[in-house]
């Protein structure tokens, strides 16, 4: 057995069933050895970035480790965006890269890049395998590191000669998952003291709560405390529950942002107070005592002053906090929240919001909804209703355009029985559009792509409109966008199109009913902004609830022409 | 001339002294310094050397910044897989030393005076030239600074300081062998399946 076969044997012994990757010179022994391991499925994406995002989609949907693979140099560097994305969103990801032979490393050899150096700040840990006898142990350890504690990406770089060297040892079995420390009773007691005395409490849950959704829900209901779910935490609390206030932050709901600004106790569970969530930090929850339940000690007190740090497992902490709970009787607070909730404006006229709402309203609770990055992402996060965790996949921390489509493929392959719907923009979709070929090649039938086409890089355009005097610099795509239906057709993927509120329902029905993976292009008006919005640098209570009155706009073609001539 | 009398100068920024025990593996130094750099913590001095335990190196790092910066740095460091233990010296009594080599210009007239000052500092002469003497001085930061200030009027040609190193006082060994002795052993063997390392469940420092 050589190193390459030992690698596959180790992955197989760890239950890895699918690897997303792309071969190349420095990883050929691994691809050769793959032929001996039919139990592991390799998915050939059309770009290594697609492989990394697909592995992330797999991991986000299942909670299990996603695995991606690339050759040295350019292959490895193409994984970088996915690794950075996984780092910020705490996704358990294992990246395997080939490298040039050991004796060539450091000589600027053909297709050599110092990938461990490059990925040092964007991985939880990384390795270069220098002795084949270490290889299986390192891979097992990498998987354990990626999954344990706060999950994250781990990269293992394997020089070509190590892949070919004979390995005589055993194949490791998976490490037991290290137990997550339970919070101290003392911290819980201090938190409970605050909660009992609270007049205007709120619970805010993030991506670290997804696997504690049942416990968090029970906690909120036991105390009758309203719940805010961050972009990453959507699904950790059923959105149909009357206690749900929506999403906080830059494009958060009126109710969530006002509640944070007025709360006297804020219980944050499994989150890291990202700046898109907090707005101006010294204006965040200015009246609240903060209880922060978090596994990663480095996140406690990093951004927001914390009054009661509760370090440990969100699941256990929520259970401990729910013990002995009795519903708080706070009618004035509830009435206030109801008033804020009633200010939610659903899109009622034709536009991107209307289109997104029409699509997400057709989703079933089991459907996985992915999004790319931009206006459609915020609209989907605002308008979709999640009843379960791990049904919402998006790039929260890094905001990676091009993420959504390959992630939806990964999620769809992880759960072939459910629909994997992705909402993308015309800009982001084109960053990884070539993965249409992956759908075709593996006959993936459950991925439904919806492109909201406004001919603009919409979110950038919105900022230019609001903060740069409507100077639309380099955001107009309309003249150069492909015919998305023809593009899909070229890859053998059926396409549907709607360009009005009247056409849309039939198009959505046909698109979802198609037995294959299919693409739906929704052509929407060029200008549509996402509101509510907290301008960058403002506090949550300074949010703009609705779009400021527009001045009449020149025709978009003229705008584009002007921008080009400027 | 007598022992230096320069008052201990107040630093514009407070500084913190940390010892970090790390696995002795390639790129560990980069990993640690990159963490400091990326998060904007300025390293004032850094010394690295081996320890009494094979496979474990020890770094002494002086960071500028207040306690909050250091607490955050410690928590970030603790997440690194290569970090075995962090000792925050501000929490206990410690001894620290630094070594400096100072090359001082001399003339026949001041030669005796320079040597006398060096003697007062218990400094050794490690190189003698026609126009320069090179001294070796060890001590805490204040002593070294005082020495350099005393020599400055004669003309300092070159200096090199090693950066500070520190150990906690008393007999409490920094590295309890049982914590990772097995682990350093487990770094190498080919077949043995390493048991999961104990999570370094460190209590959150009492910041609040």
């Amino acid at each position: 057995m050589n190193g390459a076969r030992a690698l596959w044997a180790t992955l197989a012994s760890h239950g890895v069933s699918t690897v997303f990757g792309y071969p190349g010179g420095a990883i050929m022994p691994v691809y050769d050895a793959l032929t001996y391991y039919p139990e592991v499925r390799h998915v050939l994406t059309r770009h290594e970035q697609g492989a990394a995002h697909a592995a992330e989609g797999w991991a986000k949907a299942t909670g299990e480790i996603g695995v991606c693979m690339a050759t040295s140099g350019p292959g490895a560097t193409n994984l970088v965006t996915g690794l950075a994305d996984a780092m910020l969103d705490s996704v358990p990801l294992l990246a395997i890269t080939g490298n040039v032979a050991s004796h060539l490393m450091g000589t600027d050899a053909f297709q050599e890049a110092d990938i461990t150096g490059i990925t040092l700040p964007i991985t939880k840990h990384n390795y270069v395998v220098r002795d084949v006898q270490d290889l299986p142990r390192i891979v097992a350890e990498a998987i354990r590191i990626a999954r344990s504690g706060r999950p994250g990406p781990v990269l293992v770089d394997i020089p070509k000669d190590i892949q070919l060297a004979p390995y005589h040892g055993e194949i490791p079995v998976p490490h037991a998952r290290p137990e997550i420390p339970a919070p101290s009773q003392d911290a819980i007691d201090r938190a409970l003291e605050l909660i009992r005395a609270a007049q205007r409490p709120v619970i805010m849950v993030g991506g670290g709560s997804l696997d504690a959704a049942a416990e968090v829900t029970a906690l909120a209901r036991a105390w009758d405390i309203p719940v805010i779910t961050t972009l990453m935490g959507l699904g950790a609390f059923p959105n149909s529950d009357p206690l749900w206030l929506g999403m906080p932050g830059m494009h958060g709901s009126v109710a969530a942002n006002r509640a944070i600004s007025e709360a006297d106790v804020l219980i944050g569970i499994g989150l890291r107070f990202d700046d898109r969530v907090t707005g101006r930090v010294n204006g965040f929850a200015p009246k609240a005592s903060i209880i922060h339940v978090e596994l990663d000690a480095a996140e406690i007190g990093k951004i927001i002053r914390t009054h009661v740090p509760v370090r440990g497992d969100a699941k256990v902490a929520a259970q401990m906090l729910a013990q002995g709970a009795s519903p708080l009787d706070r009618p004035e607070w509830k009435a206030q929240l109801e008033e804020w909730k009633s200010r939610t404006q659903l899109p009622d006229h034709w536009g991107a919001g209307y289109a997104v709402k029409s699509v997400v309203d057709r989703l079933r609770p089991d459907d996985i909804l992915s999004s790319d990055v931009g206006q459609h992402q915020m609209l989907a996060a605002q308008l979709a209703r999640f009843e379960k965790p791990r049904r919402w996949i998006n790039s929260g921390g890094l905001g990676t355009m091009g993420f959504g489509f390959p992630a939806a493929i990964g999620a769809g392959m992880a759960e072939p029985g459910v629909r994997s719907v992705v909402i993308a923009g015309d800009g982001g979709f084109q960053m990884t559009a070539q993965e249409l070929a992956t759908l075709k090649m593996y006959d993936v039938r459950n991925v439904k792509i919806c492109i909201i086409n406004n001919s603009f890089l919409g979110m950038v355009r919105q900022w230019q409109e609001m903060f740069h005097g409507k100077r639309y610099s380099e955001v107009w795509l309309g003249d150069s966008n492909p015919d998305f239906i023809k593009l899909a057709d070229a890859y053998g993927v059926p396409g549907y199109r709607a360009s009005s509120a009247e056409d849309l329902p039939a198009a959505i029905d046909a698109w979802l009913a198609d037995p294959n993976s299919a693409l739906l292009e929704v052509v929407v008006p060029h200008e549509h902004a996402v509101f509510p919005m907290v301008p960058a640098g403002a506090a949550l209570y300074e949010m703009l609830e609705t779009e400021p009155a527009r001045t009449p706009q020149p025709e978009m073609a003229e705008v584009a022409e002007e921008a080009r001539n400027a | 001339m007598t022992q230096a009398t320069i008052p201990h100068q107040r630093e514009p920024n407070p500084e913190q002294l940390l010892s970090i025990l790390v696995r002795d593996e390639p790129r560990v130094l980069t990993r640690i310094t990159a963490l400091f750099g990326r998060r904007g913590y300025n390293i004032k001095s850094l010394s690295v050397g081996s320890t009494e335990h094979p496979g474990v190196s020890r770094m002494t790092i002086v960071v500028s910044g207040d306690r909050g910066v250091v607490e955050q740095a410690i928590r970030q460091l603790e997440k690194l897989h290569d970090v075995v233990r962090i000792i925050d010296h501000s929490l206990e009594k410690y001894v620290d030393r630094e070594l400096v080599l100072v090359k001082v210009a001399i003339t026949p007239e001041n030669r005796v005076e320079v040597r006398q000052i060096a003697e007062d500092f218990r400094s050794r002469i490690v190189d003698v030239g026609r126009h320069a003497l090179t001294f070796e001085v060890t001590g805490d930061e204040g002593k070294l600074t005082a020495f350099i200030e005393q020599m400055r009027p004669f003309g300092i040609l070159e200096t090199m300081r090693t950066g500070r190193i520190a150990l906690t006082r008393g007999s409490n060994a920094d590295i309890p062998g049982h914590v990772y002795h097995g682990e350093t052993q487990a770094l190498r063997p080919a077949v043995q399946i390493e048991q999961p390392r104990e999570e370094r469940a460190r209590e959150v420092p009492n910041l609040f």
Side-chain angles (χ1 to χ4, degrees):
Chain A
M1 180 183 278
N2 62 18
R5 288 177 70 169
L7 166 67
W8 287 112
T10 307
L11 292 176
S13 89
H14 280 73
V16 172
S17 61
T18 303
V19 173
F20 300 89
Y22 204 99
I27 199 166
M28 276 170 60
V30 169
Y31 276 84
D32 182 50
L34 172 65
T35 56
Y36 295 91
Y37 290 89
E39 67 267 36
V40 185
R41 170 174 58 166
H42 179 273
V43 176
L44 176 68
T45 55
R46 288 305 181 274
H47 188 292
E48 290 88 349
Q49 185 183 355
H53 293 326
E56 282 188 272
W58 176 288
K60 285 191 173 191
T62 60
E64 294 303 320
I65 192 159
V67 184
C68 57
M69 188 171 276
T71 188
S72 64
T77 55
N78 280 345
L79 292 177
V80 165
T81 306
L83 291 169
D85 192 276
M87 188 70 176
L88 281 188
D89 284 355
S90 309
V91 181
L93 191 72
L94 174 67
I96 306 281
T97 50
N99 210 329
V100 298
S102 304
H103 71 277
L104 291 173
M105 284 176 79
T107 67
D108 305 324
F110 176 67
Q111 290 199 329
E112 188 199 352
D114 175 15
I115 194 61
T116 36
I118 290 168
T119 59
L120 205 119
I122 53 165
T123 48
K124 221 176 147 184
H125 193 60
N126 62 22
Y127 298 86
V128 182
V129 182
R130 294 179 187 279
D131 180 339
V132 69
Q133 304 310 326
D134 289 338
L135 195 160
R137 179 189 59 74
I138 284 177
V139 171
E141 193 176 278
I143 291 174
R144 178 178 63 78
I145 293 172
R147 292 167 50 177
S148 63
R150 178 173 168 193
V154 180
L155 180 137
V156 179
D157 192 36
I158 312 176
K160 193 170 182 179
D161 55 318
I162 305 290
Q163 299 166 32
L164 290 165
Y167 174 72
H168 303 298
E170 292 172 19
I171 296 304
V173 294
H175 292 285
R177 277 201 201 215
E179 227 165 83
I180 302 175
S184 75
Q185 188 61 48
D186 177 56
I188 295 286
D189 288 344
R190 288 170 62 201
L192 284 172
E193 203 176 307
L194 275 179
I195 295 170
R196 284 193 204 102
Q199 296 299 314
R200 299 180 308 278
V202 290
I203 295 172
M204 187 161 136
V205 298
S209 306
L210 289 177
D211 291 329
E215 289 77 9
V216 166
T217 306
L219 165 68
R221 288 176 178 161
W223 284 104
D224 199 24
I225 297 177
V227 177
I228 295 163
T229 43
T230 70
L231 180 71
M232 296 303 296
L234 286 169
F237 186 78
N239 295 176
S240 58
D241 193 299
L243 287 174
W244 187 62
L245 299 180
M247 178 175 80
M250 182 170 274
H251 291 291
S253 70
V254 175
N257 283 349
R258 300 276 173 215
I260 290 169
S261 301
E262 290 301 319
D264 62 351
V265 171
L266 187 147
I267 307 156
I269 305 177
L271 42 71
R272 60 186 182 88
F273 295 110
D274 182 86
D275 57 280
R276 282 292 193 268
V277 161
T278 60
R280 196 176 74 236
V281 166
N282 60 11
F284 178 80
K287 303 174 182 173
S289 299
I290 311 268
I291 300 165
H292 191 182
V293 179
E294 172 58 52
L295 179 59
D296 184 349
E299 295 301 339
I300 296 180
K302 187 179 85 175
I303 308 286
I304 298 291
R305 82 247 178 273
T306 303
H307 300 82
V308 181
V310 181
R311 165 123 198 260
D313 188 352
K315 213 176 234 195
V316 179
Q319 280 169 344
M320 291 170 88
L321 289 172
Q323 268 171 22
S326 57
L328 299 172
D329 185 24
R330 306 281 179 256
E332 280 174 30
W333 181 231
K334 303 268 285 193
Q336 176 66 76
L337 293 170
E338 287 309 317
E339 194 271 316
W340 285 326
K341 274 160 85 171
S342 70
R343 289 202 222 162
T344 305
Q345 292 189 340
L346 293 175
D348 55 358
H349 59 277
W350 178 240
Y354 186 97
V356 168
K357 175 117 178 59
S358 305
V359 171
V360 298
D361 278 353
R362 306 291 176 97
L363 298 184
R364 302 181 290 234
D366 277 336
D367 288 350
I368 297 168
L369 177 63
S370 305
S371 85
D372 211 74
V373 168
Q375 288 185 315
H376 64 276
Q377 175 192 26
M378 291 297 111
L379 291 167
Q382 289 175 346
L383 297 167
R385 292 291 172 261
F386 299 96
E387 297 301 308
K388 297 175 169 186
R390 302 205 172 281
R391 300 295 89 176
W392 165 240
I393 295 176
N394 80 129
S395 168
L398 198 66
T400 308
M401 283 178 74
F403 168 88
F405 176 37
I409 296 177
M413 293 182 107
E415 298 192 29
V418 306
R419 283 195 308 222
S420 178
V421 178
V422 53
I423 296 185
D426 49 320
F429 179 72
Q430 290 181 77
M431 288 196 173
T432 44
Q434 70 278 17
E435 301 306 337
L436 284 164
T438 310
L439 287 184
K440 187 66 187 167
M441 182 167 180
Y442 296 93
D443 196 20
V444 181
R445 294 176 178 224
N446 59 337
V447 174
K448 302 289 182 182
I449 309 146
C450 171
I451 298 176
I452 305 292
N453 183 355
N454 64 355
S455 305
F456 264 120
L457 300 178
M459 190 58 96
V460 185
R461 189 205 54 74
Q462 178 170 342
W463 282 50
Q464 290 177 345
E465 177 183 326
M466 295 178 67
F467 311 120
H468 295 272
K470 296 189 183 175
R471 291 180 296 281
Y472 291 164
S473 175
E474 305 293 335
V475 289
W476 171 249
L477 304 178
D479 295 346
S480 53
N481 269 341
D483 180 328
F484 287 105
I485 310 295
K486 277 192 191 164
L487 178 70
D489 185 52
Y491 284 102
V493 172
Y496 301 86
R497 180 181 282 136
S499 18
S500 68
E502 292 71 42
D503 297 347
L504 189 59
I508 292 175
D509 286 343
W511 167 63
L512 289 177
D514 196 298
N516 296 302
S517 291
L519 181 146
L520 169 69
E521 179 192 10
V522 188
V523 181
V524 296
H526 298 309
E527 295 200 318
H528 174 98
V530 184
F531 282 89
M533 180 179 189
V534 179
L540 294 187
Y541 51 76
E542 293 162 332
M543 78 187 300
L544 308 168
E545 292 189 19
T546 51
E547 188 165 3
R550 283 172 181 279
T551 48
Q553 288 293 298
E555 279 301 305
M556 269 317 101
E558 291 170 29
V559 174
E561 189 60 36
E562 271 172 39
R564 215 170 288 123
N565 295 336
Chain B
M1 200 170 233
T2 55
Q3 176 87 20
T5 51
I6 291 201
H8 191 76
Q9 288 189 338
R10 187 166 268 280
E11 295 291 330
N13 263 330
E15 58 180 46
Q16 318 281 339
L17 192 58
L18 297 176
S19 285
I20 307 170
L21 296 160
V22 295
R23 297 174 189 228
D24 181 15
E25 295 202 351
R27 235 192 266 279
V28 169
L29 179 62
T30 317
R31 228 180 261 285
I32 304 273
T33 51
L35 186 150
F36 278 83
R38 189 177 93 71
R39 302 210 176 250
Y41 311 141
N42 193 23
I43 294 178
K44 276 193 72 181
S45 114
L46 167 68
S47 323
V48 190
S50 55
T51 67
E52 69 283 11
H53 292 270
V56 177
S57 297
R58 183 173 175 125
M59 301 180 178
T60 306
I61 293 188
V62 183
V63 205
S64 351
D66 55 22
R67 288 299 303 160
V69 164
V70 172
E71 292 283 4
Q72 180 59 214
I74 290 173
R75 293 180 197 193
Q76 297 291 348
L77 285 167
E78 284 190 325
K79 296 201 290 180
L80 296 181
H81 186 68
D82 293 317
V83 173
V84 175
R85 174 133 189 234
I86 301 165
I87 300 145
D88 180 353
H89 288 295
S90 65
L91 302 178
E92 48 205 355
K93 290 185 173 163
Y94 63 91
V95 281
D96 70 315
R97 286 291 180 272
E98 191 172 354
L99 168 69
V100 65
L101 295 176
V102 186
K103 191 184 287 178
V104 183
I106 48 160
T107 61
E109 293 75 42
N110 65 22
R111 190 180 191 94
V112 175
E113 192 186 351
V114 169
R115 294 183 74 123
Q116 182 58 49
I117 293 170
E119 213 167 282
D120 293 342
F121 277 86
R122 294 193 183 82
S123 160
R124 292 204 306 146
I125 295 172
V126 291
D127 185 54
V128 180
R130 185 185 286 269
H131 301 297
L133 290 174
T134 304
F135 297 98
E136 166 199 309
V137 198
T138 60
D140 63 19
E141 203 185 14
K143 178 181 169 186
L144 302 195
T145 306
F147 179 81
I148 290 169
E149 289 310 317
Q150 290 296 314
M151 290 300 182
R152 199 180 293 284
F154 304 107
I156 292 175
L157 301 174
E158 275 183 297
T159 62
M160 179 60 207
R161 300 171 76 142
T162 57
R164 285 158 77 182
I165 58 172
L167 285 180
T168 42
R169 282 188 186 275
S171 57
N172 53 323
D174 284 339
I175 317 172
H178 64 273
V179 168
Y180 63 96
H181 181 68
E183 176 165 337
T184 52
Q185 296 301 310
L187 287 175
R188 275 281 120 185
V191 262
Q192 185 198 334
I193 306 309
E194 188 191 347
Q195 288 304 306
R197 183 165 62 152
E198 275 179 50
E199 287 291 299
R200 288 185 302 269
R202 186 176 182 276
E203 277 300 302
V204 178
N206 199 6
L207 255 187
F208 311 101

